[in-house]
């Protein structure tokens, strides 16, 4: 009896010391373990990537929320903010921007009953969208042109809805609103937009190159990307020095006095300083696949339009017709 127990216990001990596992399972487990390690390393690397938020350096994952906080704070006084930052000239710039794009399709030249489809990015308050619809309707007599106002910030979109809800364009269904990140416009189908506009917004994007690629994707062949944005430097050194002094000294102070919000206005001034200069941004537009109208040579000179001595600039890109 004891001999039988001894042999049985030996078999049990042997089975614990040498469990059988198939080689395929071992390879699968090892591969899975390596994948988990690599995935964790990639996530850690992503967390460590940084970008600028004004003059501060922050984790990329935090910038969007920080920008959202700024625009939530200034949403109700956004036009006042632009008045302060441009000395009121932004209204003239916007009028010029829209006239140059000439939105709308005249009925006599339209090939179908469908009007122009316009996507206004970072257009929460509806300022550009309203100008687009008024120009299309009054100048080009296009009563079917449609604008989608897209913004990442719900407070900004709320301002736009409130502002435009009383217009005939809202009643006619010619305007709608989309809460979305410009770097991920998955709600917009490929090649479905005639005109993509962004005014005073693209400098706040974390990955401007990604946003430009999304603009290229959603535009139809022959469609136009158009951007109105503050520029970091004026062409004239003397005027540039005066403007810098005004921007960094007066604007945050006025923001504190008018809106009790110095920090948001300080960021907005700094964000202009960190935006690429005109030639560099024109290069980014070209790298995204667009043809830059008016560009001459490798430096893309002439590929943009300076406004008010270069306080702001208009950039355009055309999606090639293949």
């Amino acid at each position: 009896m004891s001999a039988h127990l001894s042999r049985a216990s030996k078999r049990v001990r042997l089975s614990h010391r040498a469990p059988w596992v198939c080689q395929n399972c071992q390879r699968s487990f090892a591969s899975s373990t390596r994948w988990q390690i690599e995935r964790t390393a990639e996530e850690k690397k992503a967390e460590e990537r940084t970008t600028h938020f004004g003059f501060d350096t922050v984790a990329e994952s935090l910038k969007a929320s920080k920008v959202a906080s700024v625009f939530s704070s200034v949403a109700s006084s956004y036009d006042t903010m632009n008045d302060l930052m441009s000395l009121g000239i932004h209204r003239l710039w916007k009028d010029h921007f829209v006239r140059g794009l000439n939105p709308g399709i005249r009925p006599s030249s339209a090939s179908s009953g469908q009007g122009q489809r316009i996507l206004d990015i970072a257009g929460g308050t509806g300022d550009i969208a309203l100008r687009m619809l008024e120009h299309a309707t009054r100048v080009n007599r296009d009563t079917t042109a449609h604008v989608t106002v897209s913004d990442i910030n719900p407070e900004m979109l709320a301002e736009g809805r409130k502002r435009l809800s009383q217009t005939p364009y809202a009643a006619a269904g010619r305007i709608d609103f989309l809460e979305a990140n410009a770097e991920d416009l998955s709600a917009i189908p490929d090649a479905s937009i005639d005109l993509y506009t962004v005014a005073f917004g693209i400098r706040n994007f974390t990955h401007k190159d990604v946003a430009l690629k999304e603009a290229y994707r959603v535009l139809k062949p022959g469609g136009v990307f158009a951007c109105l944005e503050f520029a970091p430097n004026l062409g004239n050194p003397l005027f540039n020095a005066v403007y810098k002094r005004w921007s960094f000294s007066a604007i945050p102070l006025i923001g504190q006095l008018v809106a009790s919000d110095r920090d948001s206005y300080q960021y907005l001034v700094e964000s202009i300083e960190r935006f690429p200069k005109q030639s560099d941004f024109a290069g980014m537009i070209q790298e995204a696949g667009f043809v830059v109208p008016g560009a001459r040579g490798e430096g893309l000179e002439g590929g943009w339009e300076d406004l008010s001595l270069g306080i702001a600039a208009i950039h355009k890109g055309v999606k090639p017709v293949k």
Side-chain angles (χ1 to χ4, degrees), residues 103-107 110 113-118 132-146 169 174:
I105 302 173
R106 289 183 178 272
Q114 184 180 15
Q116 197 173 34
R117 290 297 178 262
I118 303 167
M132 289 282 181
L133 289 169
E134 288 183 342
H135 184 100
T137 304
R138 296 177 183 180
V139 177
N140 287 323
R141 299 181 182 179
D142 182 349
T143 58
T144 57
H146 181 277
Y169 308 117
R174 295 178 60 191

Side-chain angles (χ1 to χ4, degrees), residues 39-114:
R39 182 170 177 270
T40 303
E42 182 62 28
E43 289 176 347
K44 184 177 180 180
K45 184 178 179 181
E47 290 173 359
E48 292 173 350
R49 283 197 291 263
T50 60
T51 188
H52 60 81
F53 177 74
F55 288 166
D56 294 334
T57 299
V58 299
E60 281 189 356
S61 58
L62 296 178
K63 180 170 180 176
S65 63
K66 285 182 170 291
V67 171
S69 177
V70 168
F71 282 91
S72 295
S73 176
V74 303
S76 61
S77 58
Y78 185 69
D79 287 336
T80 301
M81 175 197 74
N82 279 330
D83 282 331
L84 295 174
M85 297 183 73
S86 69
L87 302 179
I89 305 172
H90 76 99
R91 300 176 188 275
L92 300 177
W93 293 341
K94 290 174 180 175
D95 290 341
H96 176 71
F97 179 61
V98 171
R99 281 197 303 270
L101 293 171
N102 192 27
I105 302 173
R106 289 183 178 272
S108 59
S109 63
S111 59
S112 68
Q114 184 180 15

Side-chain angles (χ1 to χ4, degrees), residues 93 200 228-231 278 305-314:
W93 293 341
F200 304 118
L228 170 61
E229 187 55 88
F230 287 108
Q278 289 90 316
E305 179 186 0
D306 282 335
L307 304 176
S308 301
L309 302 175
I311 294 176
I314 294 173

Side-chain angles (χ1 to χ4, degrees), residues 118-176:
I118 303 167
L119 176 63
D120 185 34
I121 294 291
T125 62
D127 206 21
I128 294 295
L130 183 58
R131 283 174 166 83
M132 289 282 181
L133 289 169
E134 288 183 342
H135 184 100
T137 304
R138 296 177 183 180
V139 177
N140 287 323
R141 299 181 182 179
D142 182 349
T143 58
T144 57
H146 181 277
V147 180
T148 296
V149 179
S150 178
D151 204 293
I152 196 173
N153 190 288
E155 285 83 1
M156 294 289 284
L157 284 174
E159 289 295 320
R161 285 193 181 94
K162 182 170 64 177
R163 179 178 185 180
L164 297 174
S165 62
Q166 304 302 316
T167 68
Y169 308 117
R174 295 178 60 191
I175 187 166
D176 61 9

